[in-house]
Amino acid sequence: MIAKKPSVEEKEITCIVCPTGCSIHVKRLEDGTLSIEGNQCKRGYDYAETEFIEPKRILATTIRIEMAKVPLVPVRTDEPVPKEKLDEILDFLANIKVKAPVNCGDVLVEHVLGLDANIIATRTLGVDTCDKIACEI
Amino acid sequence: MLQRETDVAIIGGGPAGLAAAVEARNHGCDVLIIERDDSLGGILQQCIHPGFGLHEFDDELAGPEYAQRYIDVVENGGIDVLTNTMVLEITPTKDLYAISENGVINIISKSIVLAMGCRERTRGAIKIPGYRPTGVYTAGLAQRFVNIEGFMPGTEFVILGSGDIGMIMARRLTWEGATVHGVVEIQPYPSGLIRNKVQCLDDYNIPLYLSHTVVRVHGKDRVTGITISKVDENWKMIPGTEKFINCDTLLLSVGLIPENEITKKAGAALSRTNGPVVNQFLSTTINGIFACGNVLQVHDLVDNVAVEAKKAGKLAALYSKGVQVPTSMEKQIVRVSPGNGVGYVIPNVINLDVKEEFIEKAGSMRFSLRVRKPMQDIYIKMRSGQKELYKKFHRYVRPSEMIIFKIKESIKDFLEGLDIDTPIEVYVEPKNKQPGKRERD
Amino acid sequence: MLHDFAIIGAGVTGTAIARELSKYRLNVVVIEKLSDVATETSKANSGIVHAGYAAPEDSLKAEMNVLGNPLFDDICKELYIPFERVGSFVVGVAGDNFDFLEKELQNGLERGIPGIEIIKDVNLIKKMEPRITDDVEMVLHAPSAGIISPFGLAIALAESATINGVEFHYNSPVQNIEDMGNFYIIDCPTRSFQARHIVNAAGLFADEISRMAGDFSFTISPRKGEYLLLDKMEGFINHVLFPVPTKKSKGILVSPTIDGNIFLGPNAKDQESKIDNSTTIYGLEEVVQGGRKIVPSIPLKETITNFAGLRAVSDTNDFIIRASDNKPRLFHAAGIQSPGLSSCLAIAKRIIEIIKEGGVSLELKDNFYRSREKPIVFKELNWTERDQLIKEDPAFGNIVCRCETITEGEIVQSITRPNGARTVDGIKFRTRAGMGRCQGGFCTPKVIKILSRELDLEEDEIVKREARTKYFYGHTKDFRRHKDATA
């Protein structure tokens, strides 16, 4: 489902630091150092380097919630997590449920899958026990 | 019928309305936000992806989180809010009529900020032929289903239009376990931000079909597939390039349109892009009615909405306090027109007859625009006749990103340098311009 | 139970006949293949009540049109159906066959069509219709032509019939008809009906119904017409505008709708399929080109949707309104193509006459309800009335469809009325929620919620039209949860 971390030792990376969108070529040389070409600035260089070594992403999704006016609470990781772990985190989050009330910023899962990132709520949802159909029409 | 009085009435409690409200309150006004949904935040509540507030809060917030920061300020700042209340009419005399489950509310305010946002362009608007089954949704509606209502509107998707919502939904659906077979874009370049193309499509090997469009929807009851085709530079399909893609759902991310039905009814003039005509003070053609956010122009980043909305909130507050803010209807105005390569420019007009003490209060002179196509090594220039008013080099510009600039010189000098009979033109000029040869698009 | 009459098909013809029969002491059932009234040919047409000069001489089309047109005023008043006699123009431009217009005028005068005239004063034409093409030289003006919502008409007729005791059964495609001697058994997938008489108002499929009953006397073939619908533009054009027809085509018209939108269309293309109501690139282009000929400034960027309808064309090219020649107790109202909408009220009356002629004794009820409860249309009320209404029922204070200003109260009303809505499209066609410029982008989730509450169904059981038009494939998270379960 999610693109595997390439085993190849070189990669074409589109920079997202600014609108220019440079195409940066990164290659691991025999001595283990990286050759980075095509960037037009230092920020592009840094971006390409991280993206080549260990690409990370903020994951934002939802978790099922009970007793709230909506069935889902939006959440995200508070730190970027390795791209290759996203699938596993998503599977994990699909299978858990929380209960209202939840406050924006609450940690809902600490160190998800043992990573250095927590899952935090991004919306405040109070207890709302009204009939689910009557809500939010 | 209930009656309410306030200094500043703000129509819409999304990002623009919230920012405008906070600013107007900071200027000492009684402020009332009128929001049709049951909570504040507007479209941000369903935009659960990160990336909001990078400029404003120096953080990559999710949409609801960004909204929450403002909601906290609103709730603690003595700003009145009416939720589940929809404004149906602004009379030409600036009376507001809204309804809620309590009845009709007549709101009398000294000034009004329009912050109603925009709506999505639909299938009909872009004339896709074929059947009319279930399974054709705008990307924003699908986003609401998946993120808020908790339903999956399909299993196998194709997305038409590489606008930001479309690309973000491609990733969102993939994350929920659905399959996205491709994003189809009629332009030869993605129409959303590069960041979204990389992180929402490339990351998941979702194909982006550039210079392609959907030429037929299949399936009488439910979508069973779509046919896409390559198009030429005039967006005409090229026969023989058709390709069938199996899917049960087609999402449309083909543009947003400012929602100005009540603005029109109030008698304010609208521009070609469907936003109200405004001057440098974001005043519409009606005294005391200001506009900001996506109701004025469709923005790329919520941070830019906030900047614009704060300005509108401030000027609405000044107006409520008796300062005569010129409207975009007055006599001493000069038109700002989009020239070569530029789609539109806000403000649409500039008032020349501005009292000096007001210039100071009103703050900076800010222009925003979008280019028509991606270009490299160009100048964005502004001129009045032969007189150059502004010039800046850009290595790369794209239609997906707003270009915003401010007048650096004194505004007084700037205004004095304008001629009422000569429209201002904002245009693109290539860096290595051949003399006498002008690029046309 | 044995019904006196089974009407097959709930289009404008079937519902008009149902209402007419409901005036008598009879037990009537309407059997409809799809999920609601007016879901096929009656849904996708021009919505025009023609003046009646155009149909060929000595045709049933002409007779029914001329008789049918004047019947609209009373019934629309009785049943609160919006209807307006805006009048029509046939627009003659240089190069057109003007003799044709003169001939149509003669037809009109002979048929007693009120007010029909030729206008040659271009200034006057321009004054009446400012956006008409500058090439206009004369127009044939028929002031009695009107505009109506065809599904609005069918919905009102069906509601009136329901109030007067007619039963409607939807999602019931007839699969077999058996003549039991003095009654028919009509088989549908989930149940069968028994009826002494059958009225065949099955539109595109009227020939198949006829054959099932053992009458092979006619065939129906479909002719597609494609349309573009534009946003509301009050006053953009004032009349129904037809071009002068050529040998090849009847031409694309431009017309206001009763709800204030503008439409262009239809083209005309014969086809084999009775199912294929898809629009095509070439068809829509033809519609655009045709529309521009009469109104060059038509703002296509205001387009909100496109659709196609199939006309039911009989092999005689005329209406078939008669008792079956070889089967007893079977009556046809078939081949009802244009001017079918204009004719439907007259057709219903004619069917009653034919039934009576056939020796069936019909006895009028003494408690026929002519009217129905006036539908509340929030948009049409003033602020004081709106305030009062919300105080009586807070659901009218909740706007569900913002393009058309439709409240929750109106949605609930459309569900709870006799023969009420059961689907999202049912609500759309009864209230206009979802019919505006955003095409349901904002209101669909709300409409689904209200339907699920009122019908006591789960939200993922709600359909747009028929059973195969569900909106959802389970809940968010399901795909990954199931993946985990099977892993």
Side-chain angles (χ1 to χ4, degrees):
Chain A
M1 184 134 324
I2 287 172
K4 287 247 161 57
K5 191 178 169 183
S7 54
V8 288
E9 286 295 285
E10 57 182 295
K11 202 176 168 188
E12 226 32 65
I13 290 168
T14 308
C15 182
I16 62 165
V17 171
C18 82
T20 310
C22 294
S23 191
I24 308 177
H25 190 82
V26 188
K27 189 175 176 183
R28 191 179 294 280
L29 302 174
E30 278 172 17
D31 64 359
T33 59
L34 295 183
S35 140
I36 298 179
E37 285 170 0
N39 60 300
Q40 298 185 41
C41 70
K42 176 72 171 72
R43 284 158 73 212
Y45 185 98
D46 295 346
Y47 171 78
E49 188 176 34
T50 319
E51 193 61 17
F52 186 82
I53 298 168
E54 191 182 32
K56 286 188 170 184
R57 300 284 184 267
I58 295 269
L59 173 69
T61 180
T62 50
I63 295 180
R64 286 174 296 158
I65 185 166
E66 288 174 345
M67 314 266 288
K69 65 177 178 180
V70 286
L72 299 166
V73 57
V75 298
R76 68 173 172 94
T77 58
D78 58 358
E79 292 292 332
V81 291
K83 205 172 112 180
E84 56 176 32
K85 289 279 183 194
L86 293 178
D87 223 18
E88 223 178 305
I89 303 172
L90 285 161
D91 281 343
F92 172 76
L93 295 179
N95 285 288
I96 64 170
K97 246 184 190 180
V98 295
K99 269 203 173 95
V102 162
N103 282 309
C104 184
D106 282 0
V107 174
L108 301 181
V109 182
E110 272 183 48
H111 298 293
V112 64
L113 301 179
L115 298 166
D116 282 339
N118 303 312
I119 301 293
I120 58 167
T122 57
R123 183 179 184 183
T124 296
L125 286 171
V127 175
D128 197 327
T129 49
C130 73
D131 179 37
K132 79 173 166 61
I133 297 164
C135 297
E136 271 219 353
I137 280 179
Chain B
M1 206 180 303
L2 295 167
Q3 274 208 348
R4 291 276 300 246
E5 280 187 34
T6 185
D7 293 336
V8 182
I10 296 190
I11 308 178
L18 290 168
V22 169
E23 194 67 15
R25 181 71 190 149
N26 286 344
H27 281 76
C29 283
D30 285 340
V31 179
L32 175 66
I33 301 176
I34 308 140
E35 166 57 44
R36 66 182 168 222
D37 215 337
D38 71 346
S39 52
L40 293 172
I43 203 70
L44 287 172
Q45 295 294 9
Q46 70 183 56
C47 298
I48 64 161
H49 52 279
F52 296 90
L54 219 59
H55 300 286
E56 207 181 350
F57 298 118
D58 195 23
D59 208 346
E60 282 215 45
L61 304 175
E65 228 175 344
Y66 177 100
Q68 194 63 46
R69 299 225 174 168
Y70 271 103
I71 293 169
D72 290 343
V73 178
V74 164
E75 283 177 352
N76 300 323
I79 293 171
D80 287 334
V81 179
L82 291 173
T83 52
N84 289 316
T85 306
M86 185 151 160
V87 175
L88 293 184
E89 192 180 339
I90 308 170
T91 67
T93 53
K94 257 175 28 214
D95 261 8
L96 289 178
Y97 286 94
I99 65 162
S100 76
E101 296 193 345
N102 299 318
V104 176
I105 313 160
N106 173 214
I107 298 157
I108 296 163
S109 65
K110 291 176 185 151
S111 68
I112 295 172
V113 177
L114 306 173
M116 294 90 75
C118 57
R119 65 165 183 271
E120 297 179 276
R121 188 168 280 139
T122 63
R123 170 185 176 180
I126 53 167
K127 251 175 50 185
I128 307 174
Y131 285 100
R132 297 168 54 72
T134 40
V136 182
Y137 304 110
T138 55
L141 175 59
Q143 189 179 44
R144 182 173 179 97
F145 281 144
V146 175
N147 291 346
I148 294 196
E149 313 286 343
F151 289 104
M152 292 299 287
T155 60
E156 313 252 330
F157 289 80
V158 171
I159 298 169
L160 174 61
S162 57
D164 291 311
I165 316 170
M167 296 200 283
I168 284 162
M169 277 312 289
R171 176 178 64 186
R172 185 76 197 99
L173 291 162
T174 308
W175 279 358
E176 284 303 333
T179 309
V180 179
H181 291 288
V183 173
V184 182
E185 170 59 56
I186 199 163
Q187 305 268 17
Y189 49 85
S191 64
L193 302 172
I194 280 289
R195 176 175 86 183
N196 287 328
K197 182 199 172 269
V198 171
Q199 296 202 339
C200 300
L201 305 186
D202 299 354
D203 269 7
Y204 306 97
N205 301 321
I206 296 170
L208 174 60
Y209 297 94
L210 294 175
S211 296
H212 275 75
T213 194
V214 173
V215 293
R216 192 169 166 83
V217 175
H218 301 265
K220 193 173 162 99
D221 294 323
R222 176 78 198 190
V223 174
T224 54
I226 53 151
T227 300
I228 65 170
S229 160
K230 245 190 186 150
V231 296
D232 63 21
E233 57 270 32
N234 299 317
W235 296 2
K236 288 272 174 231
M237 67 172 283
I238 302 172
T241 62
E242 295 91 341
K243 175 183 157 88
F244 178 79
I245 305 179
N246 247 311
C247 60
D248 54 41
T249 311
L250 172 66
L251 297 191
L252 305 175
S253 176
V254 289
L256 302 167
I257 307 167
E259 191 148 77
N260 275 298
E261 276 65 41
I262 55 172
T263 316
K264 214 155 132 185
K265 234 195 265 172
L270 297 190
S271 76
R272 210 168 37 84
T273 51
N274 218 39
V277 169
V278 294
N279 62 12
Q280 71 265 44
F281 310 115
L282 300 176
S283 168
T284 65
T285 52
I286 301 177
N287 242 314
I289 302 185
F290 300 83
C292 59
N294 285 353
V295 85
L296 176 58
Q297 57 175 332
V298 175
H299 287 65
D300 52 352
L301 300 176
V302 73
D303 294 301
N304 291 331
V305 169
V307 173
E308 188 175 272
K310 282 177 185 166
K311 182 168 179 177
K314 173 178 162 183
L315 285 152
L318 290 176
Y319 183 92
S320 293
K321 291 194 168 294
V323 177
Q324 276 308 308
V325 182
T327 75
S328 53
M329 192 61 168
E330 269 149 47
K331 285 194 186 107
Q332 295 283 310
I333 58 165
V334 52
R335 218 162 65 82
V336 184
S337 58
N340 179 51
V342 173
Y344 73 87
V345 190
I346 300 286
N348 312 78
V349 299
I350 288 180
N351 279 77
L352 301 184
D353 183 23
V354 185
K355 291 203 181 75
E356 212 171 319
E357 71 266 23
F358 183 68
I359 291 181
E360 301 245 323
K361 280 187 190 157
S364 62
M365 186 85 140
R366 186 174 179 263
F367 290 82
S368 45
L369 62 105
R370 286 193 195 237
V371 294
R372 287 187 181 276
K373 59 180 185 188
M375 284 172 275
Q376 276 185 56
D377 296 327
I378 56 108
Y379 288 101
I380 297 288
K381 288 189 170 185
M382 179 161 69
R383 68 179 170 200
S384 161
Q386 292 308 307
K387 187 178 171 197
E388 188 168 278
L389 303 169
Y390 171 85
K391 168 181 163 182
K392 190 181 180 215
F393 175 71
H394 289 259
R395 178 172 286 159
Y396 215 108
V397 290
R398 295 171 198 271
S400 56
E401 308 198 14
M402 283 167 71
I403 294 168
I404 295 168
F405 63 86
K406 288 177 186 170
I407 295 303
K408 292 177 201 101
E409 61 186 291
S410 105
I411 296 168
K412 183 167 167 277
D413 293 348
F414 175 79
L415 293 178
E416 277 170 3
L418 297 177
D419 171 20
I420 189 134
D421 296 322
T422 315
I424 297 171
E425 191 189 12
V426 179
Y427 61 104
V428 170
E429 190 176 280
K431 192 181 177 190
N432 303 313
K433 188 190 157 203
Q434 309 270 320
K437 198 177 151 194
R438 204 165 141 204
E439 193 194 334
R440 293 237 64 110
D441 53 15
Chain C
M1 122 170 240
L2 180 60
H3 298 278
D4 296 311
F5 279 86
I7 299 166
I8 300 176
V12 286
T13 310
T15 52
I17 295 169
R19 181 178 191 261
E20 211 53 43
L21 281 175
S22 75
K23 293 176 177 170
Y24 299 90
R25 289 174 197 269
L26 294 169
N27 189 312
V28 181
V29 62
V30 179
I31 304 167
E32 167 56 45
K33 173 182 60 164
L34 297 173
S35 58
D36 206 340
V37 298
T39 25
E40 219 158 50
T41 301
S42 296
K43 177 170 77 177
N45 59 67
S46 306
I48 291 164
V49 175
H50 294 273
Y53 56 82
E57 272 170 72
D58 300 324
S59 66
L60 266 175
K61 283 182 182 174
E63 190 187 349
M64 290 296 117
N65 190 164
V66 172
L67 288 172
N69 176 301
L71 300 176
F72 277 82
D73 301 282
D74 282 349
I75 210 155
C76 290
K77 263 187 218 119
E78 282 169 12
L79 297 178
Y80 306 102
I81 306 164
F83 169 64
E84 206 179 330
R85 293 196 185 273
V86 293
S88 64
F89 281 1
V90 182
V91 181
V93 300
D96 278 340
N97 178 3
F98 290 147
D99 293 347
F100 177 85
L101 292 187
E102 300 286 355
K103 195 178 146 275
E104 296 283 72
L105 175 67
Q106 282 316 309
N107 276 347
L109 293 171
E110 278 162 26
R111 293 175 193 177
I113 289 166
I116 191 163
E117 58 176 346
I118 280 183
I119 307 177
K120 292 185 178 170
D121 177 349
V122 174
N123 287 331
L124 177 62
I125 297 170
K126 280 275 185 188
K127 208 173 135 199
M128 293 170 82
E129 200 58 86
R131 291 184 180 82
I132 206 166
T133 173
D134 289 339
D135 300 336
V136 64
E137 294 194 2
M138 62 157 81
V139 299
L140 175 66
H141 176 217
S144 63
I147 51 176
I148 194 168
S149 153
F151 35 86
L153 173 66
I155 288 162
L157 290 168
E159 182 172 340
S160 173
T162 307
I163 294 166
N164 289 296
V166 176
E167 271 178 50
F168 282 79
H169 291 268
Y170 297 107
N171 297 306
S172 304
V174 174
Q175 292 174 317
N176 187 43
I177 299 174
E178 199 160 342
D179 186 357
M180 304 303 287
N182 53 1
F183 68 96
Y184 288 99
I185 295 182
I186 302 158
D187 291 323
C188 298
T190 55
R191 63 166 292 180
S192 294
F193 299 88
Q194 300 169 42
R196 274 197 188 91
H197 307 91
I198 291 177
V199 179
N200 174 14
L204 288 164
F205 298 88
D207 53 347
E208 292 176 31
I209 294 296
S210 178
R211 286 200 288 273
M212 279 182 209
D215 177 348
F216 293 78
S217 62
F218 63 91
T219 58
I220 302 290
S221 42
R223 182 177 295 156
K224 190 190 275 183
E226 296 170 63
Y227 292 88
L228 284 176
L229 184 72
L230 274 54
D231 204 347
K232 294 192 176 180
M233 286 176 279
E234 298 287 351
F236 184 81
I237 52 168
N238 309 314
H239 302 79
V240 181
L241 303 177
F242 298 93
V244 174
T246 61
K247 276 200 179 116
K248 259 172 73 186
S249 128
K250 213 176 127 194
I252 307 297
L253 56 125
V254 181
S255 173
T257 73
I258 192 68
D259 299 297
N261 301 73
I262 303 284
F263 80 82
L264 289 68
N267 61 347
K269 200 164 184 304
D270 290 321
Q271 63 181 35
E272 291 280 308
S273 168
K274 292 181 177 180
I275 308 289
D276 176 0
N277 64 347
S278 63
T279 52
T280 62
I281 291 181
Y282 306 104
L284 295 176
E285 191 52 37
E286 192 184 341
V287 167
V288 166
Q289 296 307 333
R292 278 196 176 135
K293 265 188 209 153
I294 344 180
V295 184
S297 64
I298 196 130
L300 292 169
K301 75 175 181 63
E302 301 294 331
T303 305
I304 57 178
T305 189
N306 62 66
F307 61 89
L310 300 180
R311 309 168 180 93
V313 184
S314 78
D315 46 10
T316 62
N317 203 28
D318 199 2
F319 296 159
I320 296 168
I321 306 167
R322 56 174 169 82
S324 167
D325 293 334
N326 65 323
K327 294 301 293 181
R329 308 180 322 280
L330 171 63
F331 305 91
H332 299 300
I336 312 299
Q337 56 155 318
S338 179
L341 175 63
S342 322
S343 305
C344 66
L345 301 173
I347 293 171
K349 292 199 183 294
R350 175 61 51 90
I351 284 286
I352 301 289
E353 289 165 17
I354 294 170
I355 290 168
K356 284 181 179 165
E357 283 162 18
V360 184
S361 72
L362 301 180
E363 199 185 328
L364 278 170
K365 282 177 190 165
D366 35 17
N367 58 344
F368 174 72
Y369 302 101
R370 304 205 74 82
S371 191
R372 60 170 181 160
E373 202 185 316
K374 188 178 180 193
I376 297 170
V377 181
F378 183 83
K379 191 164 46 174
E380 291 172 359
L381 306 177
N382 66 36
W383 290 112
T384 315
E385 293 166 336
R386 289 175 180 182
D387 193 48
Q388 242 161 22
L389 179 64
I390 299 169
K391 298 246 156 73
E392 283 161 26
D393 182 353
F396 286 94
N398 180 15
I399 298 286
V400 170
C401 167
R402 63 189 189 213
C403 301
E404 297 287 325
T405 321
I406 311 296
T407 61
E408 183 181 349
E410 289 161 280
I411 309 270
V412 171
Q413 168 188 264
S414 78
I415 300 168
T416 54
R417 289 180 79 96
N419 196 49
R422 292 289 175 275
T423 62
V424 173
D425 268 8
I427 285 177
K428 175 170 149 184
F429 288 113
R430 280 168 181 79
T431 64
R432 292 189 58 76
M435 224 177 243
R437 56 188 74 86
C438 94
Q439 289 284 294
F442 175 74
C443 66
T444 303
K446 293 164 189 266
V447 168
I448 290 173
K449 279 203 166 83
I450 298 169
L451 264 173
S452 91
R453 181 186 70 201
E454 296 295 321
L455 301 179
D456 201 14
L457 291 168
E458 292 297 321
E459 283 172 55
D460 50 6
E461 293 175 285
I462 301 299
V463 288
K464 180 175 167 65
R465 298 187 292 258
E466 288 75 43
R468 288 184 306 267
T469 60
K470 279 191 186 167
Y471 286 86
F472 304 129
Y473 287 72
H475 293 84
T476 311
K477 305 295 153 199
D478 280 359
F479 298 173
R480 279 188 181 270
R481 286 172 62 208
H482 296 156
K483 175 184 151 192
D484 201 59
T486 53

